Amino acid sequence: MTRVPLTLVHDSRGVGSALIIGLVAVVAITGLTLLGAGHALVRGQQVTAAADAAALAAADVLLGWAPGDPCDAAERVAAAHRVQLSGCAAEGLSTVVRVETGILGITVYRSARAGAPNALRERSAESCVWCA
């Protein structure tokens, strides 16, 4: 029977390299995950801002402060924000818009309302600030 020297049995050369490679892989995967989550949060806020801006543009046209069609104005603003207008409706003296876009392969929708104060309430001479 041949004896194997103990130095060859307990040789641990190269183990540190494997450990470092594993550690770098874990850090890279965690970093990419956090980067993707951060991008999704930022883009979600940008989509919300786009919906708000599109609703304000449509309300400006609806209330006569800008010329044109309310939904056309909302579509132009939405396109400038790199989102698609998926809904636009006038309700009384306010507008409701809905925009959508894809974030990391998921379709995200946001909606916003803009218009005159208390636009959905019954209008009367007391509540109308510009009717006097």
Side-chain angles (χ1 to χ4, degrees), residues 35-118:
L35 187 66
H39 168 71
L41 288 173
V42 168
R43 188 64 181 137
Q45 291 300 314
Q46 290 172 343
V47 174
T48 301
D52 290 341
L56 288 169
D60 284 350
V61 173
L62 183 70
L63 296 174
W65 296 330
D69 179 63
C71 292
D72 287 343
E75 179 125 29
R76 283 191 307 274
V77 171
H81 284 270
R82 297 186 325 258
V83 297
Q84 288 187 326
L85 184 69
S86 60
C88 178
E91 297 178 358
L93 292 177
S94 70
T95 57
V96 177
V97 299
R98 181 179 165 133
V99 298
E100 66 180 65
T101 192
I103 300 176
L104 299 175
I106 300 170
T107 303
V108 176
Y109 300 93
R110 295 287 191 271
S111 62
R113 175 186 303 274
N118 302 321

